[in-house]
Amino acid sequence: MFKHFLTIVAFVGVFVFAQNPQSVRLKQAGELVNQGRHKEALDEYKAILSIDKNNAEAYLGAGDVRLKMKDYKLALDNFQLAQKYNPKLTKAIEGEAEAYEALAQKDNALARWRALAEAGSAEQKTKALSKIGALLGTNANAQTPQASQIPPLPPPTVSPPSANTSTSTAAGKSKYTYDSPEFKAGLAAFDKKNWAESAKSWGDVLKKEPGNPGAYYYAGVCRFNLGEMDKAVINFNKSFDFPEKGYNSNYYLGRIYEQKGDKAKAISYYNKYLQLTPSADGKTEVKGRIAALNSGAAIAAKDSTAESSLPSSGSQDAKSSASYACNSLESCLKMEEKRKQDSIAAYLESLKNKPLTIGPEKIVATEYGGNFAFASVTEAGSADMQKALNLVQKKSFQSAIDALQTTRQKFPGTPNSMAAAYNLLSLYQYLELHDKVIALGNSVLQEPVQEPYKSAVLYMLAFSQVKKEQYQVGDNSLSNVVEDQKLGPTLGQKLALKAEIAAKYKPDQGSPEILKKAIAAETDNAKKNELRLKLADLYIKLQDTPSAIQTYKDIAEDCPANTAQPCRKAIYELGNISFLAQNWPMALEYYNKAMDQYKDPELVSWALFQIGNVFRKQNNYKEAVRYYDRLIKEYPGTYWADQAKLYKDDVIWHENNQGILKK
C-alpha cells in the first residue's frame, strides 16, 4: 500500500495545473534543473511535449538540460527544434552555438554566435562577440563594440557562375539514376525557385537511392538559398561525384566559408572550383573573390537566381569598398560602423526641406503575417522595393532588411523611403528585434512624417516599448495613434495594447473592460478569438475562474470544428479547469469534445488519461481501467500511456482491497 501511495504522490503534479498546465510544468521543470535533478527535469519536458509537440520552450529546456548532461548531439537537436517552432527564440540560438562549440565544430559555432550577435539581447550580443573573438583568435574582449556593427551574414539567393546553365540530368554511366520521377519533381520545383518544396523532393530521392550525389548537390543549393548553411555544407560535401555539376559545390562551399570568416577554407574551395569550372565568367568572379580575401577588401555578394550565369566581379566593386576595407574582426566592426554613420549623415542631410508625399499606393499581404507597403509603384525606389518584397516572400529576412536599408540610403526624402522605413519596422517587430524598432521608430518620427505612416510607426514603437517593459513611454506613444487607417492599427489592436499596458500597471477589472471593448471592435473572427484568449488568461491571473470559463466557452462556441488555436486551447482548458474544480460531468464533456474535434494523437492521449482519472476520482474503477486500457492500446509507448499503466495498477489494487480498507 505504501508503494502505491508513493506512486500517487509522485504523479500528483500531473493534476496541479493552476489553470495553465504547460506553464506550470515548465516552471516545475526549471525548479528541478535548479536543484540539479536533470533526469527528472528532462522527464517533465518530455511530458509537456507529449501533449504539445510544438512547444518551443520545452524543446529549449530539454536542450539546456542535455547540454548540462553533456549529451551535446541530442541537445543540438532540441535547440534546432526550439528554433523550428519559434524562430525568434534567441536562447535556442545561444544553446545551439554552445553545443557546436562543445562538439568542436568551430565553423558551425561561429555561424550561430554571429546570428546571436545580430538578433540577441544586449547581454547575448556581448557574449556572442566575446565568443566570436575567442574562436577567431582576435582580441574581441578588449573593446566590445555594439552588436549592431556586426556585418549581417545570411546570403542572398545565388548560383555559381557556370558555363552550363541547364538543369538536365547527368549523362554518362553512373550507378545512380538522375531521371526518376522524384528527381524530376525536385528539378521542376528547383527551376521555379521553390527551394523548400525542392528540398523535400531531394529527401525523397535519397530515401529511395541513398548516396545519390545529384540529390545532395541540388539539396545543397536549396539549403544555401534558404540560408541553412550548416545543412548546405553537409549536402555539398556529399555531391562532388555528381557528373554534371558536382564541381560547383566548391563554389558554394567557398561562399559559405567566406561568409563565416574562414578565409583559408574559402580560398581552398575557390581554387578547386577554378581547376574544374569551364566558365570564363566563373573564373573571373572567383579570382576576384580570392584577391579580395587576400587583400582584406570586401567584395559585393552577387544576387541572382539559382543555376544561372552571373556576371564577373569587376574592379569597381573593389574600388567602392576600398574605403571600408578590413582584415580583422575589430577592423571589420569599425568598417561597418563607419559605413553606417556615413550613410546616416548623408541621409539626414538630404532630408532637409524635402516633405514626404502621402502614401501608400499599394499594400501587399506577406506570408509572415504582416503588410508590405509601396508609397509609389512608379517613383524612385520602386524597383528596389519590389526586390525587397520578393525577398520577404521567400522569408530571406536579413537580405530583405539589407535591401530596404539600401532603399532608404539611395532615395532619401522620397515617398518610397518612408515606405521602406515602415516595412523595416514591420520586419523588425516580426523578428522581435524590439531595440531596433525603438531606435528606427524614434529616428523616423524626427522626419516630416505624415499619416497614415505616423500612426503606424507610433503603434509599432509603442508595441516594442511595451515588450521592453517601457510601459509609461509606450502609453505615451499609443495615445497619439489614430486607429483604423490604411496601415493600421485597428481599434481592436490599439485597445488590446492599451489593455496590456493597464494589466502591467493595474491588474484589476479595468484591464478586462478594455479588452472587452477591443473584442467588440474587432471584425475578424480569428483575431476576435485571439483577444478572447488573452481575456481568459487575464481572468485566470485575476483568479476570476467563472469569467474565464465563460470566455473560453465563447471561444469554443464561435469556432468551427477542427480549427487550430485558440479554439483547441479553449476546449482543453475548459476540461482542465473543470477537472481542478471537480466538476466531473463538465470535465468529461469537454475532454470528449476535444477528442472528437481534434485528432492530434498527443492531445487525444492526454484527454483519455484525464477521462480515466475522472472515473478514478469518482471511484468508478471499472470505467477508469477501461479508459486506461484504451490509452495503453491505442497510444503505446507515449508518456501518458506509461502513466496510465501506473494508475491502472493502483486502481486495480484499490478495487481488490476495498473490503480490507473498510475494516
Side-chain angles (χ1 to χ4, degrees):
M1 179 178 174
F2 183 69
K3 176 183 175 183
H4 290 283
F5 175 76
L6 287 177
T7 301
I8 296 170
V9 171
F11 294 97
V12 72
V14 172
F15 306 113
V16 183
F17 283 90
Q19 327 306 335
N20 195 341
Q22 302 311 322
S23 63
V24 170
R25 296 205 78 140
L26 284 168
K27 184 177 179 182
Q28 289 174 342
E31 290 173 354
L32 289 169
V33 172
N34 293 335
Q35 296 166 18
R37 297 158 65 183
H38 296 149
K39 180 65 170 63
E40 294 171 66
L42 194 57
D43 287 341
E44 278 295 311
Y45 289 124
K46 288 178 181 178
I48 295 165
L49 291 167
S50 70
I51 307 171
D52 180 8
K53 64 182 179 182
N54 299 339
N55 193 310
E57 291 287 346
Y59 282 119
L60 175 64
D64 285 335
V65 170
R66 284 181 161 134
L67 199 61
K68 288 180 172 67
M69 296 170 73
K70 298 185 179 181
D71 191 351
Y72 300 124
K73 289 185 178 179
L74 285 178
L76 192 60
D77 290 340
N78 287 152
F79 290 132
Q80 289 171 346
L81 284 166
Q83 290 173 74
K84 175 182 176 181
Y85 294 114
N86 184 357
K88 296 168 277 188
L89 199 58
T90 56
K91 287 183 181 178
I93 300 175
E94 183 177 356
E96 191 182 2
E98 296 277 13
Y100 276 130
E101 208 169 323
L103 290 166
Q105 297 184 26
K106 176 182 173 181
D107 295 328
N108 291 335
L110 272 171
R112 301 319 291 155
W113 285 125
R114 283 173 169 146
L116 187 67
E118 178 66 21
S121 65
E123 183 179 350
Q124 287 175 320
K125 290 172 183 177
T126 301
K127 179 179 180 179
L129 285 170
S130 176
K131 289 284 190 177
I132 291 167
L135 288 168
L136 292 176
T138 60
N139 189 17
N141 288 322
Q143 181 180 4
T144 304
Q146 293 298 315
S148 60
Q149 300 167 10
I150 294 285
L153 290 176
T157 302
V158 302
S159 62
S162 169
N164 180 6
T165 61
S166 72
T167 56
S168 61
T169 56
K173 293 181 180 180
S174 172
K175 67 177 182 178
Y176 299 104
T177 57
Y178 302 104
D179 59 355
S180 66
E182 293 82 6
F183 204 100
K184 289 179 179 178
L187 286 175
F190 188 94
D191 290 340
K192 294 176 183 176
K193 300 170 190 155
N194 191 334
W195 313 125
E197 182 182 337
S198 182
K200 183 178 181 298
S201 294
W202 303 123
D204 294 337
V205 171
L206 290 166
K207 284 178 184 176
K208 288 194 171 183
E209 197 174 9
N212 188 310
Y216 277 122
Y217 171 79
Y218 285 113
V221 178
C222 292
R223 296 300 184 193
F224 183 93
N225 287 325
L226 288 167
E228 299 172 0
M229 297 302 161
D230 296 332
K231 292 180 180 178
V233 168
I234 294 170
N235 291 147
F236 285 131
N237 278 319
K238 296 180 180 180
S239 70
F240 294 118
D241 292 333
F242 182 35
E244 186 177 356
K245 297 181 179 180
Y247 65 89
N248 282 335
S249 295
N250 293 295
Y251 170 87
Y252 282 109
L253 288 166
R255 287 295 303 274
I256 291 169
Y257 286 112
E258 182 180 342
Q259 290 177 36
K260 288 186 174 186
D262 194 331
K263 183 168 67 173
K265 277 192 176 181
I267 292 174
S268 173
Y269 281 112
Y270 282 148
N271 281 328
K272 290 177 185 176
Y273 174 76
L274 286 175
Q275 295 171 14
L276 298 170
T277 182
S279 168
D281 285 345
K283 289 178 180 178
T284 302
E285 183 200 328
V286 168
K287 285 177 181 177
R289 288 187 176 278
I290 292 173
L293 285 168
N294 283 325
S295 66
I299 187 164
K302 299 294 178 181
D303 190 358
S304 180
T305 54
E307 298 302 300
S308 64
S309 182
L310 294 177
S312 63
S313 213
S315 61
Q316 186 61 39
D317 286 334
K319 289 178 183 178
S320 64
S321 298
S323 62
Y324 301 109
C326 66
N327 53 20
S328 70
L329 175 64
E330 186 176 355
S331 63
C332 284
L333 294 173
K334 289 179 179 178
M335 173 201 77
E336 284 300 309
E337 179 62 15
K338 184 177 187 302
R339 188 197 303 274
K340 183 176 71 173
Q341 294 302 329
D342 289 350
S343 298
I344 290 173
Y347 174 72
L348 292 175
E349 179 65 27
S350 67
L351 278 177
K352 293 178 180 177
N353 302 319
K354 286 188 177 181
L356 295 166
T357 58
I358 294 176
E361 185 177 314
K362 175 184 175 183
I363 299 175
V364 180
T366 63
E367 292 183 13
Y368 70 86
N371 287 323
F372 190 97
F374 290 78
S376 169
V377 294
T378 56
E379 293 185 39
S382 58
D384 295 78
M385 293 284 280
Q386 184 60 52
K387 174 184 173 182
L389 174 60
N390 293 340
L391 290 166
V392 168
Q393 299 289 34
K394 293 175 185 176
K395 293 186 171 62
S396 297
F397 295 130
Q398 183 58 58
S399 297
I401 287 169
D402 292 342
L404 289 166
Q405 288 173 336
T406 300
T407 304
R408 294 262 296 162
Q409 294 166 9
K410 283 171 63 178
F411 306 103
T414 64
N416 278 326
S417 174
M418 179 53 63
Y422 165 81
N423 295 328
L424 273 169
L425 287 166
S426 296
L427 270 177
Y428 286 153
Q429 196 157 88
Y430 172 72
L431 297 169
E432 293 189 356
L433 301 175
H434 297 299
D435 287 329
K436 291 193 174 184
V437 173
I438 293 169
L440 179 59
N442 283 322
S443 175
V444 168
L445 290 171
Q446 294 174 18
E447 302 171 18
V449 188
Q450 299 181 23
E451 297 289 5
Y453 291 109
K454 185 175 182 179
S455 286
V457 171
L458 279 166
Y459 174 74
M460 288 188 281
L461 180 60
F463 186 92
S464 289
Q465 286 166 338
V466 169
K467 293 303 177 186
K468 298 297 289 185
E469 299 184 357
Q470 300 172 12
Y471 302 115
Q472 185 61 57
V473 181
D475 193 43
N476 292 339
S477 298
L478 191 63
S479 65
N480 294 310
V481 171
V482 179
E483 66 276 359
D484 292 328
Q485 297 193 88
K486 200 170 184 180
L487 290 173
T490 64
L491 176 59
Q493 289 172 317
K494 181 180 175 181
L495 288 170
L497 186 56
K498 185 178 179 182
E500 186 173 347
I501 293 170
K504 297 294 182 181
Y505 277 129
K506 306 171 186 176
D508 55 19
Q509 292 303 309
S511 300
E513 292 307 313
I514 297 171
L515 268 175
K516 286 180 182 178
K517 291 178 183 177
I519 292 166
E522 185 56 67
T523 56
D524 182 274
N525 193 61
K527 291 180 180 177
K528 188 186 288 284
N529 276 332
E530 288 174 5
L531 291 171
R532 283 173 173 156
L533 195 58
K534 288 184 179 181
L535 179 60
D537 290 343
L538 182 57
Y539 280 134
I540 292 296
K541 290 177 184 176
L542 296 171
Q543 299 182 348
D544 185 352
T545 303
S547 296
I549 290 173
Q550 185 55 56
T551 307
Y552 282 130
K553 284 183 175 180
D554 291 342
I555 298 171
E557 291 168 4
D558 204 21
C559 286
N562 300 316
T563 50
Q565 300 280 24
C567 307
R568 178 171 59 185
K569 180 177 179 181
I571 290 178
Y572 273 92
E573 288 295 336
L574 284 166
N576 292 335
I577 291 172
S578 304
F579 185 94
L580 290 167
Q582 298 186 21
N583 185 338
W584 308 128
M586 185 174 168
L588 288 173
E589 175 191 351
Y590 282 103
Y591 284 133
N592 278 300
K593 185 178 288 188
M595 288 196 299
D596 291 341
Q597 292 190 13
Y598 305 106
K599 306 301 182 184
D600 186 322
E602 291 173 1
L603 290 174
V604 172
S605 64
W606 163 248
L608 284 169
F609 181 61
Q610 284 294 75
I611 291 172
N613 292 332
V614 168
F615 286 119
R616 182 177 62 83
K617 290 283 187 179
Q618 295 177 297
N619 297 324
N620 188 341
Y621 298 132
K622 182 178 179 181
E623 282 298 295
V625 169
R626 186 165 75 87
Y627 275 92
Y628 290 145
D629 278 339
R630 179 180 166 187
L631 171 54
I632 294 164
K633 180 181 178 181
E634 294 181 12
Y635 301 97
T638 64
Y639 179 85
W640 297 119
D642 292 340
Q643 304 311 304
K645 291 176 185 176
L646 293 169
Y647 276 87
K648 176 185 171 183
D649 291 343
D650 185 74
V651 164
I652 292 172
W653 185 90
H654 274 285
E655 188 172 23
N656 292 338
N657 291 277
Q658 270 185 324
I660 297 171
L661 292 172
K662 287 178 181 177
K663 290 179 182 179

